[in-house]
Every structure is written in structure tokens, then in C-alpha cells.
Amino acid sequence: MSTATILPGLQLERNAFGGQYAPNDIRDLVYHPGIISPLKLGETEVSYFLPSRENGVNDMYLHLGCRAPPCLVDRQRVASVWAIMRVRHPLLGAKVRMNAYDDISFRYDAPLSPYEALQSAERNLEYREQTKDAELINSYLNGPRMLSNERLSYLLVSNSELQSPSPGADQNADFVICATHFLGDGMALHQFANDFFTLLGSALDQAGLASVLAAEWLARCATEPALGLPLSIEDRLPSVPPGEFKRLASRVDFALNQQKSIGGHSFPRQPGRTRHTVVPTVSIDRETTKAILKNCKKNGVSISAALFAICNIAWARTHSVGWELPIMLYSALNMRPSLRADARLHDSYWFLAIGYFNIVLPAFFPKEGDAARMFWHRARAAKAQSAAAARSPMGASRCALMAAERGTRARMWAREDDDKVAGVQTSAPTAPLAPPARLRPSGPSSALMGLSLLGNLDGIYQHARFPAIRIHTLTTGSRQRAGGMLLFGYTFAGKLWVSFGYDENGFEEGVVQTFWNNVKNAVDEFLVPA
């Protein structure tokens, strides 16, 4: 390590940390003073970064409510675990630099010692005394932005019980993991939470955590060359085979697939009012959830497919006009199974790896007839469309082309927004090149809403690995733009959860509330067996 240097004053730092840095009583640690090379954002990352700049649109949060012994949620312990996880996943501690719309990069200054890694974690950790819904989550969704180009992740811990715990009793604590969406996706967020609680609930004491931090730092920051940052999804996807014909074929397939995206329904908006996001959530008890899962299996669908049909029917019962056009719903597609095995991989799962697909269902739902039979038919139609999107051999090329299109549009809108702020008069922005008329949708392409269907999260959270911590509540979402809306569905802790994040000031009075009531009623009517 020719460029490495002995870190002076290490003994003082080690004492300040309160434990040995490494398992073998290392007396002096060395560090690599270089900065990891900047990494240019991919097109999907750009499409999320540019809209986030002003007010944090799409900044994610994951809330986990738990009961645990006070010693496991002590600030010093939580800070140590947070520091370890930030060293393992460098994008969490990175920054973003934007020089031009086509020159946006992640920059990561690796910590020069384990102690510096701990200090960085402390600066991005906050303990509060706030209630979960009324204050903690509301302040994240509707208050000043907590994240920025200089801070891509943040950890909140809250509960007044922690300040005056009952002797020997477990205490309730609320953890909120915050991260920008261009940093990663829901799968990264949940895998991270599982690993975080596994380490937090382990038998390691403070000295043991210090040793883990030292080992992680030595492996990732003190070696030469240091590990790079995780590549973007576009760099990990299989490339289109060479040849003009194959490139043209992939573009025609993309256009034909987009041609199917026909939707003529949207919630009536009410612009001009200050955005205020609310997230009403329902959880269904374990026994009823088991019955729902059994009912879905009997009818040949997953809960995810059933929720598309639930929203479809709930809207038909909310807005009984315009039945000549179908309803279109959109969702994210996990692209991790499609990534190239030979791509240069970083062992961090913190990167954005999603594509997009649409579900198109009839808007008409008669008031008479066998409603249950029609419901399950539409759920199976949603399942077939989801499976076609996930299994298509053209999935990788569609994802890459959609990313390029989204990146182009994001830059166009960003320039327009920046010009308005600067008071610059500009001509109408140039729209991305449209496909030939014969490849365009044969009707309008309005999406009613988006669904984030996370599946069975108990397959990710290995509760048995942190038995002293009982996670009882999980909610997730993101900061929204005015008029934003997204429905979440997942099973966790054996329960089915459905939450609905929307801007309560962005839509006509009563419409969204009626729709949400119809969603809950449809769950009871169709999913819960009689």
C-alpha cells in the first residue's frame, strides 16, 4: 500500500470510541487517503434525482415500530450499527454533484478511520420524542426536506419511553430509515432493515461492534484500490446484441409494448393548494390474512394481482362514467433477476434496479350479476399481464429504453423548471422523438394511479435472527409531488397491510376518500372468505 499512511493519534481515537477497533488488538490502523472515483448516475437514477432537487420528491422512508430492551436501542449502540452499515453500503454516505444536466455523479469520500465513520453516522442520526403518525412520519412527508445532495440517507429513532424506561421492561421504539429514491429501491430498503436489526439485536457488545466496524473499514476503505461504488442498472443489464436489425427490433418491440398502454381514467385534481400527504393504513389480523391467502390461492392468484382488481373495481364504484375506456394502473418491476452475472458487481445491494409495467383492465363493472366471479377473472387478467412483463425476453431492452426516455424527459422538465426559477424566457421545450403514428397508443394513455406491491416481506425479515427485538409495525412511502398518489400492499408479521399515500389537498373533495372506502370494502367483500 504505497500511498497509505499511519494514522496519528489512533490511541486517543480508539479510547474515544470505547472499544478495540479490530479483533487482533491492532495497535495502528492505516488508511488509504484517496477518494473513490466519481460514478456517473444512470438514466433511471437521473429520472429520480432531477425532480427531487427542489423539495425531495420521491425521498423514501421505511418506518419500523418495535419493542426491545432499552440497551438494544441505546444511542451509542444504534450509532455503531448505523456506522457499520454505512461503511458496507457506500452510497448511503455519498454525495451528488451536478455540473450539467448530462454530468451528474455520485461522489464518495471514504472515512479515513473507523472513528471518522462513526462520527459521520452520528451526524446522520437523530433521536426524537414524537408519535409515529401525527409527528414523526408527517414531519418527514410534509415538513422541510431532511435529505439533500449532501445527505442521501438519515436515520430517525423516536419514542418518549426511551427517555424514562421502566426498569427491566421492553420499550417501544420507532425507527425511520430515510434515503433518496435515486439511491436504491424498496428491495434494497427492506434488505437493509433486516441486516440492520440482525446486527442491532445480536449478542455483540459495544467492543464487539467496534471490532466489526474496524473490520469493515479495513476491508472497504483501507485497501488499495478501494472498492468502487455500485454500478447503475443500465450498466448491469444485458446489452442488445450487435447489429442494426436487432437494435431496431428492440425499439419496435418497445413501441409496440407502449402502444398497449391505454387508459382513460384519472382522479379529478384540485391544483393550487399546498401539498399535504396522508397515509391511511389498514392491517388485517393473522387469521384473516391466512384465510385471504388461502382464498387467493384457490382462485389462482397472488394478493398482488388481487389488489390490482380491488383498485379497478373500487374506482368503477367511485366514478361510474367513461366506461368505454379501460383503466390503467402502473407498478414497478424488480429487475435484479435480469442483471448480467458477468457485470462488475459491488457487494452492496444499495442501487436502483426497477423497471415499470402497466396493467389495463375494463372500467365497466356491472351492479348486477356474479360480482365475485368477475372480480377473480380480473385478478387473473392482472396476474397474466404481470407475468408477461416479468418473464418477457425483451424485458431488459424495454427497461433500458424506458430508462433513456425517462432520463430525457426528466432533463427537459428540469431545464424548464430551472428557467422559470431564474426568470428566463425560453421557447417550448423540445419533446422526445415520438414513435411513428402506427406505433402510438390508439387511445389516451392516462394512468389512474400506481401500486407498489412488495409481496411477502416476511421472506426478507428473518425475525428469528433478532429475537429480542419484536417488530410489530411496518409502513413505507415517499415524499410526493402535489397531486401524488401511491397504494402499497404487502404482508408482514403474518398480517396483510394496505396503505394509501396521497395528497389530500390535490384532489376534488371527497373523491379519494370515497375510493379508499371502496378499496377497504372490496377487500372485505372479495378477499375475505364468507
Side-chain angles (χ1 to χ4, degrees):
M1 292 188 292
S2 59
T3 59
T5 307
I6 300 297
L7 184 64
L10 185 62
Q11 185 65 46
L12 292 175
E13 291 186 350
R14 186 161 55 233
N15 290 340
F17 188 29
Q20 295 299 317
Y21 275 133
N24 297 321
D25 190 24
I26 295 178
R27 296 176 180 274
D28 296 295
L29 292 181
V30 294
Y31 73 103
H32 183 266
I35 297 174
I36 292 177
S37 299
L39 181 68
K40 190 173 182 179
L41 271 66
E43 292 298 282
T44 303
E45 293 163 340
V46 166
S47 72
Y48 279 96
F49 165 74
L50 287 173
S52 75
R53 294 175 302 157
E54 180 181 0
N55 199 31
V57 170
N58 292 317
D59 285 356
M60 303 183 296
Y61 79 88
L62 172 58
H63 161 260
L64 297 128
C66 67
R67 294 198 68 82
C71 63
L72 293 186
V73 290
D74 171 75
R75 181 178 182 120
Q76 186 181 23
R77 183 177 184 86
V78 170
S80 297
V81 173
W82 181 227
I84 292 167
M85 298 300 290
R86 285 166 59 87
V87 171
R88 284 182 184 172
H89 303 285
L91 280 183
L92 294 173
K95 301 176 182 179
V96 173
R97 292 290 181 268
M98 178 177 171
N99 298 318
Y101 295 109
D102 292 312
D103 184 9
I104 309 169
S105 300
F106 288 116
R107 305 292 180 96
Y108 179 62
D109 298 351
L112 302 182
S113 71
Y115 182 62
E116 185 175 293
L118 182 65
Q119 288 181 311
S120 176
E122 280 278 9
R123 289 193 297 271
N124 293 280
L125 168 65
E126 183 178 352
Y127 270 60
R128 295 182 177 181
E129 296 182 42
Q130 291 183 321
T131 59
K132 174 179 77 74
D133 292 320
E135 298 173 310
L136 190 63
I137 293 177
N138 179 64
S139 67
Y140 182 79
L141 292 176
N142 299 303
R145 188 187 185 193
M146 295 182 187
L147 305 178
S148 68
N149 291 357
E150 304 295 311
R151 171 188 282 164
L152 306 188
S153 67
Y154 201 60
L155 178 61
L156 295 170
V157 184
S158 178
N159 199 297
S160 57
E161 283 186 89
L162 296 176
Q163 307 306 317
S164 55
S166 301
D170 286 357
Q171 303 297 317
N172 194 75
D174 291 295
F175 288 78
V176 181
I177 304 168
C178 312
T180 61
H181 206 333
F182 56 87
L183 206 66
D185 47 44
M187 291 301 99
L189 197 56
H190 291 291
Q191 185 61 57
F192 177 86
N194 175 72
D195 293 348
F196 179 91
F197 280 101
T198 297
L199 195 54
L200 187 67
S202 70
L204 291 170
D205 60 10
Q206 192 61 25
L209 291 174
S211 294
V212 173
L213 177 57
E216 294 286 350
W217 177 82
L218 284 168
R220 301 169 189 277
C221 304
T223 57
E224 184 184 1
L227 289 174
L229 297 175
L231 297 175
S232 70
I233 182 176
E234 290 82 19
D235 288 328
R236 297 169 183 255
L237 287 170
S239 57
V240 176
E244 186 62 30
F245 175 78
K246 292 180 179 178
R247 285 195 295 270
L248 179 61
S250 67
R251 291 185 176 277
V252 170
D253 166 77
F254 176 72
L256 288 172
N257 187 59
Q258 293 296 101
Q259 190 178 33
K260 301 175 185 177
S261 300
I262 300 173
H265 294 259
S266 59
F267 284 87
R269 299 185 182 277
Q270 182 173 266
R273 299 176 64 186
T274 302
R275 175 189 59 81
H276 189 268
T277 300
V278 294
V279 193
T281 301
V282 295
S283 65
I284 297 174
D285 65 81
R286 290 171 177 265
E287 290 304 313
T288 305
T289 296
K290 287 180 182 178
I292 289 174
L293 289 168
K294 185 177 180 179
N295 198 22
C296 287
K297 184 177 181 180
K298 182 181 75 173
N299 286 278
V301 300
S302 64
I303 286 182
S304 295
L307 284 173
F308 280 114
I310 290 287
C311 291
N312 170 250
I313 291 170
W315 177 249
R317 291 174 170 176
T318 302
H319 192 74
S320 56
V321 296
W323 282 349
E324 67 278 4
L325 290 170
I327 294 172
M328 184 167 68
L329 308 164
Y330 67 89
S331 190
L333 185 64
N334 178 15
M335 295 301 298
R336 291 173 191 265
S338 301
L339 303 181
R340 291 198 334 261
D342 63 336
R344 181 173 66 85
L345 297 178
H346 190 287
D347 61 353
S348 173
Y349 43 70
W350 265 107
F351 59 92
L352 185 58
I354 56 175
Y356 311 90
F357 70 99
N358 298 319
I359 298 295
V360 178
L361 296 171
F364 176 74
F365 194 79
K367 296 181 180 179
E368 299 179 354
D370 191 340
R373 184 179 179 183
M374 286 182 280
F375 166 78
W376 291 113
H377 175 74
R378 293 197 184 178
R380 285 188 287 270
K383 175 187 175 181
Q385 293 179 49
S386 301
R391 298 172 185 169
S392 171
M394 304 299 289
S397 63
R398 290 175 185 174
C399 179
L401 289 168
M402 176 57 77
E405 183 175 298
R406 286 172 58 88
T408 299
R409 288 177 178 171
R411 291 182 179 91
M412 178 184 73
W413 292 329
R415 287 189 183 97
E416 184 179 6
D417 291 342
D418 292 346
D419 286 345
K420 286 181 180 178
V421 171
V424 176
Q425 296 293 327
T426 59
S427 58
T430 302
L433 184 63
R438 64 182 181 278
L439 297 179
R440 296 174 194 164
S442 56
S445 56
S446 298
L448 177 70
M449 59 183 295
L451 282 75
S452 180
L453 303 173
L454 304 171
N456 180 19
L457 293 179
D458 287 325
I460 296 177
Y461 290 88
Q462 301 174 50
H463 302 272
R465 297 182 63 182
F466 40 90
I469 302 175
R470 184 176 67 84
I471 305 177
H472 52 73
T473 306
L474 183 154
T475 53
T476 188
S478 61
R479 285 173 66 94
Q480 296 178 334
R481 57 172 51 86
M485 175 182 292
L486 190 62
L487 184 138
F488 292 84
Y490 50 92
T491 51
F492 178 75
K495 300 179 181 180
L496 171 62
W497 302 71
V498 183
S499 65
F500 189 33
Y502 67 95
D503 173 16
E504 64 177 353
N505 291 335
F507 302 93
E508 284 187 9
E509 190 73 26
V511 176
V512 180
Q513 293 86 344
T514 300
F515 170 78
W516 175 235
N517 287 333
N518 286 335
V519 166
K520 293 184 290 183
N521 292 337
V523 168
D524 292 336
E525 178 182 353
F526 298 114
L527 295 187
V528 180

